[in-house]
Amino acid sequence: MIPVQGYDGQKVAVLGLGRSGLATAAALQAGGAIPVCWDDSPEGRARAEAEGYQITDLTRAGAFEDIAALITSPGIPHLYPAPNAVIAAAMRAGVPVDNDIGLFFASWATSNWANFDVAPRTICVTGSNGKSTTTALIHHILTEAGRPAQMAGNIGRGVLDLDPPEGGDVVVLELSSYQTDLARALTPDIAVFTNLTPDHLDRHGGMGGYFAAKRRLFAEGGPDRAVIGVDEPEGAYLANQIAMGRNDDRLIRVSSARKLGDWGWSVFARKGFLAEWRKGRQIASIDLREVTGLPGAHNHQNACAAYAAVRALGIAPREIEAAFHSFKGLPHRSQTLAEINGVRWVNDSKATNVDSAAKALQAFENIRWIAGGLGKDGGVSGLLEHLGSVKKAYFIGHSARDFALELAPLAHEICETMEAAVAACARDAEAGDTVLLAPAAASFDQYPNFEKRGEHFAQLVAALPR
Protein backbone atom coordinates (compact mmCIF):
# COMPACT_ATOMS: atom_id res chain seq x y z
CA MET A 1 0.00 0.00 0.00
CA ILE A 2 1.12 3.59 -0.75
CA PRO A 3 0.21 5.75 2.30
CA VAL A 4 -1.29 9.05 1.15
CA GLN A 5 0.74 12.08 2.15
CA GLY A 6 -0.48 15.58 2.96
CA TYR A 7 -3.72 14.93 4.86
CA ASP A 8 -2.56 13.83 8.31
CA GLY A 9 -5.37 14.41 10.83
CA GLN A 10 -7.77 15.77 8.18
CA LYS A 11 -11.07 14.40 6.96
CA VAL A 12 -11.00 13.31 3.31
CA ALA A 13 -14.19 12.24 1.58
CA VAL A 14 -14.16 9.19 -0.70
CA LEU A 15 -16.92 8.92 -3.32
CA GLY A 16 -17.45 5.53 -4.95
CA LEU A 17 -16.58 2.41 -3.00
CA GLY A 18 -15.54 -0.12 -5.59
CA ARG A 19 -12.02 -1.56 -5.84
CA SER A 20 -10.23 1.77 -6.23
CA GLY A 21 -12.43 3.56 -3.68
CA LEU A 22 -11.75 1.05 -0.91
CA ALA A 23 -8.03 1.03 -1.73
CA THR A 24 -8.08 4.84 -1.55
CA ALA A 25 -9.75 4.80 1.87
CA ALA A 26 -7.14 2.35 3.17
CA ALA A 27 -4.24 4.41 1.79
CA LEU A 28 -5.66 7.63 3.27
CA GLN A 29 -6.02 5.98 6.66
CA ALA A 30 -2.47 4.60 6.44
CA GLY A 31 -1.21 8.13 5.85
CA GLY A 32 -2.99 9.54 8.91
CA ALA A 33 -6.07 10.96 7.19
CA ILE A 34 -9.63 10.28 8.33
CA PRO A 35 -11.54 8.83 5.36
CA VAL A 36 -15.29 9.46 5.26
CA CYS A 37 -16.96 7.31 2.64
CA TRP A 38 -20.05 7.42 0.47
CA ASP A 39 -21.52 5.42 -2.39
CA ASP A 40 -24.90 5.79 -4.05
CA SER A 41 -25.49 2.07 -3.71
CA PRO A 42 -26.31 0.42 -0.38
CA GLU A 43 -24.08 -2.49 -1.37
CA GLY A 44 -21.05 -0.21 -1.75
CA ARG A 45 -21.72 1.45 1.61
CA ALA A 46 -22.13 -1.95 3.26
CA ARG A 47 -18.77 -3.14 1.91
CA ALA A 48 -16.99 -0.08 3.31
CA GLU A 49 -18.80 -0.25 6.63
CA ALA A 50 -17.85 -3.93 6.97
CA GLU A 51 -14.20 -2.89 6.64
CA GLY A 52 -14.59 -0.35 9.43
CA TYR A 53 -14.80 2.89 7.45
CA GLN A 54 -17.00 5.81 8.47
CA ILE A 55 -20.03 6.24 6.21
CA THR A 56 -21.14 9.85 5.75
CA ASP A 57 -24.00 10.94 3.51
CA LEU A 58 -22.24 13.38 1.17
CA THR A 59 -25.54 14.36 -0.45
CA ARG A 60 -26.84 16.18 2.64
CA ALA A 61 -26.55 19.94 3.04
CA GLY A 62 -23.32 21.07 4.71
CA ALA A 63 -21.60 17.70 4.20
CA PHE A 64 -18.34 19.37 3.09
CA GLU A 65 -17.93 21.90 5.92
CA ASP A 66 -14.99 20.07 7.54
CA ILE A 67 -13.72 18.11 4.52
CA ALA A 68 -10.19 18.79 3.20
CA ALA A 69 -10.64 17.06 -0.18
CA LEU A 70 -12.97 14.82 -2.15
CA ILE A 71 -11.47 11.77 -3.84
CA THR A 72 -13.78 10.35 -6.50
CA SER A 73 -13.72 7.11 -8.44
CA PRO A 74 -12.81 7.62 -12.12
CA GLY A 75 -16.15 6.35 -13.43
CA ILE A 76 -18.14 9.15 -11.78
CA PRO A 77 -18.72 12.18 -14.08
CA HIS A 78 -17.34 15.47 -12.80
CA LEU A 79 -18.04 17.74 -15.79
CA TYR A 80 -19.79 16.10 -18.78
CA PRO A 81 -22.47 15.09 -19.55
CA ALA A 82 -23.31 16.57 -16.10
CA PRO A 83 -21.38 16.63 -12.82
CA ASN A 84 -22.37 14.13 -10.19
CA ALA A 85 -24.37 15.95 -7.49
CA VAL A 86 -21.80 15.20 -4.77
CA ILE A 87 -18.91 16.45 -6.90
CA ALA A 88 -20.87 19.58 -7.79
CA ALA A 89 -21.52 20.21 -4.08
CA ALA A 90 -17.81 19.83 -3.28
CA MET A 91 -16.88 22.31 -6.00
CA ARG A 92 -19.44 24.82 -4.73
CA ALA A 93 -17.94 24.45 -1.26
CA GLY A 94 -14.44 25.06 -2.62
CA VAL A 95 -13.26 21.56 -1.71
CA PRO A 96 -10.49 20.24 -4.02
CA VAL A 97 -11.58 17.23 -6.08
CA ASP A 98 -9.01 14.59 -7.00
CA ASN A 99 -8.75 10.87 -7.75
CA ASP A 100 -6.49 8.01 -6.72
CA ILE A 101 -4.07 8.71 -9.58
CA GLY A 102 -3.47 12.23 -8.31
CA LEU A 103 -2.97 10.92 -4.77
CA PHE A 104 -0.52 8.31 -6.05
CA PHE A 105 1.74 10.84 -7.77
CA ALA A 106 1.57 13.18 -4.77
CA SER A 107 2.52 10.34 -2.39
CA TRP A 108 4.77 8.00 -4.43
CA ALA A 109 8.12 9.62 -3.60
CA THR A 110 9.24 9.71 0.04
CA SER A 111 12.32 10.79 1.99
CA ASN A 112 13.48 7.14 1.90
CA TRP A 113 14.38 7.59 -1.75
CA ALA A 114 17.54 9.40 -0.69
CA ASN A 115 18.86 5.98 0.36
CA PHE A 116 18.31 4.36 -3.05
CA ASP A 117 21.20 3.94 -5.49
CA VAL A 118 18.66 3.98 -8.35
CA ALA A 119 15.44 5.95 -8.00
CA PRO A 120 12.15 4.17 -8.76
CA ARG A 121 10.58 5.02 -12.11
CA THR A 122 7.02 5.26 -13.40
CA ILE A 123 5.87 4.50 -16.94
CA CYS A 124 2.30 5.58 -17.80
CA VAL A 125 0.41 4.41 -20.89
CA THR A 126 -2.66 6.12 -22.31
CA GLY A 127 -4.47 6.25 -25.66
CA SER A 128 -7.66 4.80 -27.16
CA ASN A 129 -6.65 1.30 -28.23
CA GLY A 130 -3.81 -0.96 -27.17
CA LYS A 131 -3.25 0.54 -23.71
CA SER A 132 -3.68 -2.71 -21.83
CA THR A 133 -1.55 -4.79 -24.19
CA THR A 134 1.19 -2.15 -24.26
CA THR A 135 1.17 -1.86 -20.46
CA ALA A 136 1.27 -5.62 -19.95
CA LEU A 137 3.99 -6.00 -22.57
CA ILE A 138 6.18 -3.35 -20.92
CA HIS A 139 5.74 -5.10 -17.58
CA HIS A 140 6.54 -8.48 -19.16
CA ILE A 141 9.72 -7.19 -20.82
CA LEU A 142 10.95 -5.63 -17.58
CA THR A 143 10.24 -8.81 -15.63
CA GLU A 144 11.97 -10.99 -18.23
CA ALA A 145 14.96 -8.63 -18.14
CA GLY A 146 15.22 -9.04 -14.37
CA ARG A 147 13.97 -5.56 -13.49
CA PRO A 148 11.63 -5.40 -10.46
CA ALA A 149 8.30 -4.12 -11.77
CA GLN A 150 4.69 -3.67 -10.69
CA MET A 151 1.63 -3.08 -12.90
CA ALA A 152 -1.51 -1.18 -11.91
CA GLY A 153 -4.06 1.47 -12.82
CA ASN A 154 -6.74 0.56 -15.33
CA ILE A 155 -5.28 -2.96 -15.37
CA GLY A 156 -4.49 -5.21 -12.43
CA ARG A 157 -4.26 -3.52 -9.02
CA GLY A 158 -5.39 -0.08 -7.89
CA VAL A 159 -2.46 2.36 -7.84
CA LEU A 160 -2.63 2.96 -4.08
CA ASP A 161 -2.63 -0.79 -3.47
CA LEU A 162 0.91 -1.09 -4.88
CA ASP A 163 3.82 -2.09 -2.68
CA PRO A 164 6.09 0.78 -1.56
CA PRO A 165 9.02 0.93 -3.98
CA GLU A 166 12.56 -0.22 -3.50
CA GLY A 167 15.55 1.17 -5.36
CA GLY A 168 15.36 0.54 -9.09
CA ASP A 169 11.69 -0.49 -9.06
CA VAL A 170 9.54 0.36 -12.07
CA VAL A 171 5.78 0.87 -11.87
CA VAL A 172 3.84 0.56 -15.12
CA LEU A 173 0.39 2.19 -15.12
CA GLU A 174 -2.37 1.99 -17.67
CA LEU A 175 -4.37 5.22 -17.44
CA SER A 176 -7.74 5.84 -19.07
CA SER A 177 -9.05 9.27 -20.01
CA TYR A 178 -11.32 9.07 -16.96
CA GLN A 179 -8.22 8.77 -14.76
CA THR A 180 -6.05 11.44 -16.42
CA ASP A 181 -8.88 13.96 -16.75
CA LEU A 182 -9.19 14.76 -13.04
CA ALA A 183 -5.86 13.84 -11.42
CA ARG A 184 -4.28 16.91 -9.81
CA ALA A 185 -0.76 15.46 -10.06
CA LEU A 186 0.60 13.65 -13.14
CA THR A 187 4.38 13.30 -13.14
CA PRO A 188 5.48 10.07 -14.86
CA ASP A 189 9.09 9.49 -15.82
CA ILE A 190 8.03 8.03 -19.18
CA ALA A 191 4.62 8.67 -20.74
CA VAL A 192 3.24 6.67 -23.68
CA PHE A 193 0.46 7.76 -26.07
CA THR A 194 -0.64 4.88 -28.31
CA ASN A 195 -3.30 6.37 -30.60
CA LEU A 196 -6.60 8.23 -30.59
CA THR A 197 -9.96 7.19 -32.00
CA PRO A 198 -13.46 8.34 -30.96
CA ASP A 199 -14.61 6.92 -27.63
CA HIS A 200 -16.25 8.15 -24.41
CA LEU A 201 -17.31 11.32 -26.23
CA ASP A 202 -20.33 11.97 -24.00
CA ARG A 203 -18.09 11.87 -20.92
CA HIS A 204 -15.65 14.41 -22.37
CA GLY A 205 -18.00 16.69 -24.28
CA GLY A 206 -16.69 15.63 -27.70
CA MET A 207 -13.46 14.62 -29.39
CA GLY A 208 -11.59 17.74 -28.29
CA GLY A 209 -12.33 17.09 -24.65
CA TYR A 210 -11.36 13.44 -25.03
CA PHE A 211 -7.99 14.37 -26.52
CA ALA A 212 -7.49 17.06 -23.88
CA ALA A 213 -7.95 14.46 -21.14
CA LYS A 214 -5.26 12.25 -22.72
CA ARG A 215 -2.94 15.21 -23.32
CA ARG A 216 -2.89 16.09 -19.60
CA LEU A 217 -0.51 13.18 -18.98
CA PHE A 218 2.09 15.04 -21.03
CA ALA A 219 1.26 18.61 -20.08
CA GLU A 220 0.57 18.77 -16.33
CA GLY A 221 4.03 17.83 -15.10
CA GLY A 222 5.88 16.81 -18.19
CA PRO A 223 7.56 13.39 -18.43
CA ASP A 224 11.32 13.04 -18.78
CA ARG A 225 10.68 11.10 -21.98
CA ALA A 226 7.56 10.78 -24.14
CA VAL A 227 6.66 7.93 -26.49
CA ILE A 228 4.06 9.16 -28.99
CA GLY A 229 2.18 7.26 -31.68
CA VAL A 230 2.09 9.68 -34.62
CA ASP A 231 -0.20 7.85 -37.05
CA GLU A 232 -3.19 10.07 -36.16
CA PRO A 233 -3.30 13.89 -36.37
CA GLU A 234 -3.64 14.24 -32.60
CA GLY A 235 -0.49 12.21 -31.97
CA ALA A 236 1.44 14.20 -34.56
CA TYR A 237 0.23 17.41 -32.91
CA LEU A 238 1.19 16.19 -29.44
CA ALA A 239 4.66 15.19 -30.66
CA ASN A 240 5.12 18.64 -32.19
CA GLN A 241 4.08 20.29 -28.92
CA ILE A 242 6.67 18.31 -26.95
CA ALA A 243 9.73 18.34 -29.20
CA MET A 244 12.09 21.33 -29.31
CA GLY A 245 13.37 20.29 -32.74
CA ARG A 246 13.74 17.36 -35.13
CA ASN A 247 16.62 15.82 -33.15
CA ASP A 248 15.11 16.18 -29.67
CA ASP A 249 15.41 12.62 -28.38
CA ARG A 250 13.36 13.28 -25.26
CA LEU A 251 10.59 12.29 -27.67
CA ILE A 252 10.38 8.85 -29.31
CA ARG A 253 7.99 8.82 -32.24
CA VAL A 254 6.19 5.55 -32.98
CA SER A 255 4.39 4.38 -36.12
CA SER A 256 2.92 1.18 -37.51
CA ALA A 257 2.23 2.81 -40.87
CA ARG A 258 5.43 4.32 -42.22
CA LYS A 259 9.18 4.78 -41.85
CA LEU A 260 10.25 7.43 -39.34
CA GLY A 261 14.00 7.42 -39.85
CA ASP A 262 14.59 11.18 -40.11
CA TRP A 263 13.87 12.05 -36.47
CA GLY A 264 16.15 12.09 -33.43
CA TRP A 265 14.67 8.84 -32.10
CA SER A 266 11.92 6.73 -33.64
CA VAL A 267 10.55 3.18 -33.60
CA PHE A 268 8.31 1.94 -36.39
CA ALA A 269 6.95 -1.27 -37.91
CA ARG A 270 6.66 -1.98 -41.63
CA LYS A 271 5.70 -5.27 -43.26
CA GLY A 272 6.07 -7.08 -39.95
CA PHE A 273 9.51 -5.74 -39.03
CA LEU A 274 10.18 -3.38 -36.13
CA ALA A 275 13.03 -0.92 -36.59
CA GLU A 276 14.67 1.51 -34.16
CA TRP A 277 16.37 4.59 -35.63
CA ARG A 278 18.45 7.21 -33.84
CA LYS A 279 19.96 10.29 -35.45
CA GLY A 280 19.47 9.05 -38.98
CA ARG A 281 20.70 5.46 -38.66
CA GLN A 282 19.14 2.14 -37.79
CA ILE A 283 20.05 0.76 -34.36
CA ALA A 284 18.07 -2.48 -34.23
CA SER A 285 15.46 -4.57 -36.05
CA ILE A 286 13.06 -7.31 -34.89
CA ASP A 287 10.94 -9.65 -37.03
CA LEU A 288 7.45 -9.51 -35.49
CA ARG A 289 5.74 -11.86 -37.95
CA GLU A 290 6.32 -14.97 -35.85
CA VAL A 291 5.49 -13.35 -32.50
CA THR A 292 2.24 -15.22 -31.87
CA GLY A 293 1.18 -13.09 -28.90
CA LEU A 294 1.20 -9.89 -31.00
CA PRO A 295 -0.71 -10.56 -34.25
CA GLY A 296 -1.59 -7.81 -36.72
CA ALA A 297 -0.53 -4.24 -37.40
CA HIS A 298 -2.34 -2.89 -34.31
CA ASN A 299 -0.28 -5.17 -32.09
CA HIS A 300 2.85 -4.19 -33.98
CA GLN A 301 2.09 -0.63 -32.93
CA ASN A 302 1.78 -1.84 -29.34
CA ALA A 303 5.12 -3.64 -29.73
CA CYS A 304 6.77 -0.45 -31.00
CA ALA A 305 5.42 1.62 -28.11
CA ALA A 306 6.50 -0.95 -25.51
CA TYR A 307 9.91 -1.32 -27.16
CA ALA A 308 10.46 2.44 -27.09
CA ALA A 309 9.45 2.72 -23.42
CA VAL A 310 11.82 0.03 -22.21
CA ARG A 311 14.63 1.20 -24.48
CA ALA A 312 14.33 4.52 -22.66
CA LEU A 313 15.20 2.56 -19.51
CA GLY A 314 18.23 0.98 -21.16
CA ILE A 315 16.87 -2.53 -21.87
CA ALA A 316 18.82 -4.11 -24.76
CA PRO A 317 17.08 -4.94 -28.08
CA ARG A 318 18.08 -8.61 -27.76
CA GLU A 319 16.35 -8.86 -24.36
CA ILE A 320 13.26 -7.15 -25.73
CA GLU A 321 13.05 -9.53 -28.70
CA ALA A 322 13.25 -12.58 -26.43
CA ALA A 323 10.50 -11.15 -24.22
CA PHE A 324 8.27 -10.52 -27.26
CA HIS A 325 8.38 -14.23 -28.10
CA SER A 326 7.47 -15.31 -24.56
CA PHE A 327 4.55 -12.84 -24.31
CA LYS A 328 1.25 -14.74 -24.45
CA GLY A 329 -0.99 -11.73 -24.95
CA LEU A 330 -3.87 -10.60 -22.77
CA PRO A 331 -7.21 -12.31 -22.37
CA HIS A 332 -9.90 -10.94 -24.70
CA ARG A 333 -7.37 -9.09 -26.92
CA SER A 334 -6.55 -11.07 -30.09
CA GLN A 335 -6.08 -14.07 -27.78
CA THR A 336 -5.68 -17.41 -29.53
CA LEU A 337 -7.77 -19.86 -27.52
CA ALA A 338 -7.26 -23.05 -29.52
CA GLU A 339 -6.61 -24.60 -32.90
CA ILE A 340 -9.13 -27.36 -33.57
CA ASN A 341 -8.91 -29.42 -36.76
CA GLY A 342 -6.93 -26.66 -38.43
CA VAL A 343 -9.33 -23.87 -37.34
CA ARG A 344 -7.96 -21.09 -35.15
CA TRP A 345 -10.30 -19.65 -32.49
CA VAL A 346 -9.48 -16.08 -31.41
CA ASN A 347 -11.05 -14.08 -28.59
CA ASP A 348 -10.96 -10.30 -29.12
CA SER A 349 -13.97 -9.44 -26.94
CA LYS A 350 -12.21 -6.17 -26.02
CA ALA A 351 -12.82 -4.96 -29.60
CA THR A 352 -15.85 -2.96 -28.48
CA ASN A 353 -15.69 -0.20 -31.11
CA VAL A 354 -15.33 0.05 -34.89
CA ASP A 355 -11.66 0.99 -34.85
CA SER A 356 -10.52 -1.89 -32.65
CA ALA A 357 -12.68 -4.37 -34.59
CA ALA A 358 -11.18 -3.10 -37.86
CA LYS A 359 -7.69 -3.76 -36.54
CA ALA A 360 -8.65 -7.29 -35.53
CA LEU A 361 -10.19 -7.96 -38.95
CA GLN A 362 -6.95 -6.87 -40.62
CA ALA A 363 -4.83 -9.21 -38.50
CA PHE A 364 -6.19 -12.53 -39.82
CA GLU A 365 -7.24 -14.27 -43.03
CA ASN A 366 -10.23 -16.50 -43.89
CA ILE A 367 -12.31 -15.11 -41.04
CA ARG A 368 -15.54 -16.45 -39.59
CA TRP A 369 -16.52 -13.28 -37.72
CA ILE A 370 -18.69 -13.21 -34.59
CA ALA A 371 -19.89 -9.64 -33.98
CA GLY A 372 -22.68 -7.70 -32.36
CA GLY A 373 -23.97 -6.72 -28.96
CA LEU A 374 -25.09 -3.27 -27.89
CA GLY A 375 -24.17 -1.07 -30.85
CA LYS A 376 -22.53 2.32 -30.34
CA ASP A 377 -23.41 5.71 -31.84
CA GLY A 378 -22.30 5.97 -35.45
CA GLY A 379 -22.99 2.36 -36.35
CA VAL A 380 -20.54 -0.02 -38.02
CA SER A 381 -20.55 1.11 -41.66
CA GLY A 382 -16.92 2.16 -41.12
CA LEU A 383 -16.04 -1.54 -41.20
CA LEU A 384 -17.16 -2.02 -44.81
CA GLU A 385 -13.66 -1.37 -46.15
CA HIS A 386 -12.14 -3.96 -43.78
CA LEU A 387 -14.21 -7.01 -44.68
CA GLY A 388 -11.98 -8.44 -47.43
CA SER A 389 -10.86 -11.40 -45.31
CA VAL A 390 -14.31 -12.18 -43.88
CA LYS A 391 -15.88 -15.33 -45.35
CA LYS A 392 -19.05 -14.99 -43.27
CA ALA A 393 -20.33 -13.02 -40.27
CA TYR A 394 -22.37 -14.41 -37.38
CA PHE A 395 -24.26 -11.60 -35.65
CA ILE A 396 -25.37 -11.71 -32.01
CA GLY A 397 -27.11 -9.50 -29.48
CA HIS A 398 -29.28 -6.40 -29.57
CA SER A 399 -27.71 -4.95 -32.73
CA ALA A 400 -27.51 -8.17 -34.77
CA ARG A 401 -30.02 -7.11 -37.43
CA ASP A 402 -28.72 -3.53 -37.54
CA PHE A 403 -25.21 -4.87 -38.23
CA ALA A 404 -26.58 -7.10 -40.99
CA LEU A 405 -28.28 -4.14 -42.69
CA GLU A 406 -25.29 -1.82 -42.37
CA LEU A 407 -22.78 -4.38 -43.64
CA ALA A 408 -24.80 -5.75 -46.56
CA PRO A 409 -24.09 -7.58 -48.86
CA LEU A 410 -21.69 -9.40 -46.50
CA ALA A 411 -22.61 -13.09 -46.15
CA HIS A 412 -24.06 -13.45 -42.68
CA GLU A 413 -26.25 -15.38 -40.28
CA ILE A 414 -28.36 -13.93 -37.47
CA CYS A 415 -27.45 -16.06 -34.45
CA GLU A 416 -28.54 -13.78 -31.59
CA THR A 417 -26.71 -15.75 -28.87
CA MET A 418 -23.05 -16.68 -28.40
CA GLU A 419 -23.98 -20.35 -28.15
CA ALA A 420 -25.67 -20.27 -31.55
CA ALA A 421 -22.80 -18.32 -33.14
CA VAL A 422 -20.11 -20.71 -31.89
CA ALA A 423 -22.15 -23.72 -33.03
CA ALA A 424 -22.64 -22.18 -36.49
CA CYS A 425 -18.94 -21.39 -36.82
CA ALA A 426 -18.00 -24.92 -35.76
CA ARG A 427 -20.39 -26.22 -38.42
CA ASP A 428 -19.07 -23.98 -41.22
CA ALA A 429 -15.35 -23.50 -40.51
CA GLU A 430 -12.73 -25.30 -42.60
CA ALA A 431 -9.03 -25.93 -42.01
CA GLY A 432 -7.19 -22.63 -42.49
CA ASP A 433 -10.09 -20.51 -41.21
CA THR A 434 -9.97 -18.22 -38.17
CA VAL A 435 -13.08 -17.85 -36.01
CA LEU A 436 -12.77 -14.34 -34.62
CA LEU A 437 -14.87 -12.81 -31.85
CA ALA A 438 -14.46 -9.05 -32.45
CA PRO A 439 -17.88 -7.63 -31.51
CA ALA A 440 -17.52 -3.94 -32.52
CA ALA A 441 -20.12 -3.32 -29.82
CA ALA A 442 -20.55 -3.03 -26.09
CA SER A 443 -21.53 -6.13 -24.14
CA PHE A 444 -24.19 -4.74 -21.84
CA ASP A 445 -27.19 -6.23 -23.65
CA GLN A 446 -26.20 -9.79 -22.72
CA TYR A 447 -23.14 -9.55 -20.42
CA PRO A 448 -22.04 -7.27 -17.56
CA ASN A 449 -18.73 -6.50 -19.31
CA PHE A 450 -16.51 -7.54 -22.21
CA GLU A 451 -14.55 -9.90 -19.94
CA LYS A 452 -17.64 -12.01 -19.18
CA ARG A 453 -18.48 -12.08 -22.88
CA GLY A 454 -14.98 -13.29 -23.74
CA GLU A 455 -15.01 -15.85 -20.93
CA HIS A 456 -18.30 -17.27 -22.22
CA PHE A 457 -16.84 -17.55 -25.72
CA ALA A 458 -13.74 -19.28 -24.31
CA GLN A 459 -15.88 -21.75 -22.36
CA LEU A 460 -17.86 -22.64 -25.48
CA VAL A 461 -14.69 -23.12 -27.51
CA ALA A 462 -13.17 -25.30 -24.78
CA ALA A 463 -16.24 -27.55 -24.96
CA LEU A 464 -15.96 -28.14 -28.72
CA PRO A 465 -15.06 -31.69 -29.81
CA ARG A 466 -11.42 -32.18 -30.76
Side-chain angles (χ1 to χ4, degrees):
M1 179 188 305
I2 307 297
V4 172
Q5 300 180 47
Y7 294 102
D8 188 18
Q10 301 179 71
K11 287 186 177 181
V12 178
V14 178
L15 177 63
L17 300 173
R19 183 194 66 175
S20 66
L22 291 175
T24 297
L28 285 162
Q29 189 166 271
I34 305 166
V36 293
C37 303
W38 182 252
D39 194 295
D40 289 339
S41 76
E43 295 81 6
R45 298 196 295 270
R47 282 194 301 270
E49 196 165 25
E51 295 194 19
Y53 297 116
Q54 176 183 334
I55 303 299
T56 297
D57 184 356
L58 298 176
T59 66
R60 63 175 175 79
F64 287 97
E65 288 179 359
D66 58 349
I67 299 295
L70 171 65
I71 312 303
T72 178
S73 293
I76 301 175
H78 61 275
L79 187 57
Y80 302 114
N84 176 277
V86 171
I87 294 176
M91 291 181 176
R92 286 195 300 270
V95 172
V97 180
D98 203 348
N99 62 17
D100 61 338
I101 304 301
L103 292 183
F104 168 83
F105 279 109
S107 306
W108 172 236
T110 69
S111 58
N112 292 337
W113 286 28
N115 301 319
F116 296 155
D117 292 332
V118 179
R121 309 291 293 277
T122 55
I123 301 175
C124 293
V125 180
T126 196
S128 295
N129 299 308
K131 297 188 300 297
S132 296
T133 296
T134 300
T135 301
L137 182 55
I138 291 170
H139 180 260
H140 177 75
I141 295 167
L142 292 169
T143 301
E144 292 293 293
R147 296 287 294 270
Q150 300 182 73
M151 181 172 65
N154 207 41
I155 183 174
R157 306 159 71 181
V159 292
L160 294 172
D161 198 33
L162 288 167
D163 299 328
E166 300 292 336
D169 282 3
V170 181
V171 164
V172 190
L173 304 180
E174 178 193 341
L175 298 183
S176 71
S177 58
Y178 291 8
Q179 292 169 309
T180 59
D181 197 19
L182 189 59
R184 297 172 72 91
L186 286 167
T187 54
D189 296 289
I190 299 168
V192 179
F193 177 89
T194 57
N195 51 55
L196 197 78
T197 57
D199 209 357
H200 309 306
L201 300 190
D202 58 336
R203 171 66 184 264
H204 297 293
M207 194 68 176
Y210 179 48
F211 176 50
K214 300 288 189 183
R215 184 180 177 275
R216 291 189 77 245
L217 184 61
F218 302 84
E220 290 302 301
D224 294 336
R225 181 154 275 130
V227 175
I228 307 292
V230 295
D231 288 338
E232 291 85 29
E234 293 86 356
Y237 169 83
L238 183 56
N240 184 268
Q241 289 272 294
I242 290 170
M244 297 302 292
R246 295 181 63 85
N247 294 318
D248 186 352
D249 65 3
R250 296 174 305 157
L251 167 68
I252 308 176
R253 290 174 172 82
V254 165
S255 174
S256 61
R258 64 189 191 278
K259 179 180 176 180
L260 296 174
D262 294 334
W263 303 99
W265 198 348
S266 61
V267 179
F268 57 89
R270 293 180 68 202
K271 299 180 179 179
F273 286 87
L274 178 152
E276 177 188 3
W277 282 63
R278 293 194 73 173
K279 298 180 179 178
R281 66 186 185 91
Q282 185 170 311
I283 300 298
S285 177
I286 297 175
D287 184 351
L288 298 174
R289 294 173 299 175
E290 300 303 319
V291 179
T292 57
L294 296 166
H298 63 302
N299 273 312
H300 293 175
Q301 183 188 53
N302 299 334
C304 289
Y307 178 99
V310 297
R311 283 291 286 141
L313 290 179
I315 306 298
R318 192 173 304 171
E319 293 180 283
I320 300 171
E321 182 173 11
F324 279 173
H325 283 281
S326 61
F327 182 66
K328 302 303 183 185
L330 288 178
H332 319 301
R333 297 162 175 86
S334 294
Q335 176 195 21
T336 296
L337 297 173
E339 186 169 317
I340 304 171
N341 300 323
V343 177
R344 185 179 185 183
W345 294 78
V346 177
N347 170 20
D348 203 340
S349 183
K350 182 63 168 66
T352 59
N353 58 39
V354 165
D355 185 74
S356 54
K359 289 178 168 61
L361 291 170
Q362 294 172 73
F364 304 98
E365 298 179 349
N366 303 320
I367 297 171
R368 304 278 176 180
W369 178 34
I370 300 175
L374 187 62
K376 296 190 173 182
D377 291 346
V380 290
S381 59
L383 290 171
L384 284 167
E385 61 185 291
H386 303 295
L387 301 178
S389 295
V390 178
K391 297 176 73 171
K392 184 177 177 180
Y394 304 79
F395 294 130
I396 64 173
H398 178 270
S399 298
R401 286 169 175 76
D402 292 336
F403 277 30
L405 288 171
E406 287 189 68
L407 299 176
L410 177 67
H412 70 273
E413 184 173 332
I414 303 295
C415 295
E416 295 188 348
T417 68
M418 188 71 75
E419 290 90 344
V422 168
C425 288
R427 177 197 68 211
D428 294 346
E430 304 168 329
D433 287 355
T434 294
V435 178
L436 172 67
L437 171 64
S443 61
F444 306 126
D445 57 334
Q446 295 178 319
Y447 302 93
N449 49 53
F450 73 84
E451 291 97 340
K452 292 298 182 184
R453 176 171 59 190
E455 289 167 8
H456 187 206
F457 177 63
Q459 290 164 3
L460 294 169
V461 172
L464 291 172
R466 263 53 177 179

